[in-house]
Amino acid sequence: MLAALNLPSFLWLWRIAAWSMGLSISAYLLLAVTGGWLFVSHRQQGGQLESQLKNQLENQLATPANRPSWLRPLHLFTGGVIVLLVLLLLAVGLVGTFGYYGSLGHSPHLIAGLTVVGLTLLSAWAALRISPERPWARPLHLGVNLALLIGLTAVSWTGWTVVQKYLP
Ligand code: HEM
Ligand code: HEM
């Protein structure tokens, strides 16, 4: 690792960043699709509004009949993957930058990176709290995920801007 830090360029860093970022965005898209499906399967329960609301609460933890059994585990697994990827990107970014400059905070990329990590952890935390006793957890999960879309765009944009500095 120390030898890698002495490399004259950030090529190794932005290669890992680009690959992990590609995977993160793929994970986000898969989460949006599986999450959207979970969302629809909740709302298709029951006919009348009243029974629909009741079913929504009751079925949050059980598996509704119109939902394949692998859907929720797949969503959760992909969620775990995106958490790990984002933490990996944070570690590589911090270690790489500190190893090269001896300090942090060289561009808005730092704020964007910290924001994305914070939002991802908040989303996962809220997701694991979804239950009938905690009606705030579901809307929080959804709202944070929307903000995460903007955050991922910002971190890619600022990351790419930083990479331009090292390209000939
Ligand atoms: C950060 C990691 C994530 C974890 C650990 C996670 C986990 C969960 C869990 C446990 C549920 C409840 C499932 C159920 O009701 O049976 C859920 C629901 C949902 N998630 Fe995620 N999720 C994550 C990220 C995302 C992302 C990035 C999106 C969208 C881009 C998303 C969209 C949704 C949607 C739409 C629902 C359904 C809410 C509803 O039924 O009203 N999730 N998620
Ligand atoms: C979730 C995604 C990401 C996170 C959490 C993240 C996090 C970070 C952090 C915290 C730093 C230290 C910044 C500083 O102190 O100024 C950093 C540096 C860096 N990141 Fe990222 N990053 C992400 C994605 C990317 C992407 C997509 C790229 C490029 C395509 C990238 C390229 C870089 C480069 C080249 C540096 C060196 C900073 C400099 O020279 O100013 N990162 N990253």
Side-chain angles (χ1 to χ4, degrees):
M1 197 62 186
L2 280 175
L5 293 182
N6 293 329
L7 279 179
S9 83
F10 262 122
L11 217 63
W12 65 276
L13 189 147
W14 82 263
R15 270 206 191 116
I16 297 180
W19 274 100
S20 313
M21 201 61 201
L23 285 173
S24 302
I25 289 171
S26 310
Y28 185 90
L29 294 177
L30 186 57
L31 283 165
V33 171
T34 53
W37 192 349
L38 286 170
F39 186 88
V40 169
S41 77
H42 277 304
R43 266 136 201 87
Q44 281 174 351
Q45 295 294 304
Q48 288 155 351
L49 187 63
E50 200 180 319
S51 73
Q52 208 176 332
L53 288 171
K54 188 165 154 275
N55 276 325
Q56 264 177 35
L57 289 177
E58 279 172 358
N59 288 315
Q60 271 173 355
L61 295 174
T63 302
N66 61 348
R67 174 200 285 192
S69 58
W70 47 262
L71 184 58
R72 191 173 184 269
L74 176 62
H75 187 80
L76 269 169
F77 175 78
T78 317
V81 168
I82 203 173
V83 167
L84 290 181
L85 283 171
V86 159
L87 290 177
L88 173 72
L89 279 158
L90 176 70
V92 165
L94 290 179
V95 169
T97 305
F98 200 80
Y100 193 77
Y101 292 105
S103 66
L104 297 174
H106 296 271
S107 74
H109 185 63
L110 177 64
I111 300 295
L114 292 177
T115 306
V116 162
V117 172
L119 287 174
T120 307
L121 293 178
L122 185 61
S123 171
W125 177 82
L128 298 178
R129 254 136 215 89
I130 292 178
S131 85
E133 291 83 46
R134 289 179 287 261
W136 47 264
R138 185 178 298 256
L140 181 62
H141 183 58
L142 297 185
V144 170
N145 290 331
L146 206 64
L148 193 55
L149 182 62
I150 300 166
L152 285 171
T153 311
V155 90
S156 307
W157 180 266
T158 55
W160 180 243
T161 308
V162 166
V163 164
Q164 314 274 299
K165 285 197 302 197
Y166 303 101
L167 295 179

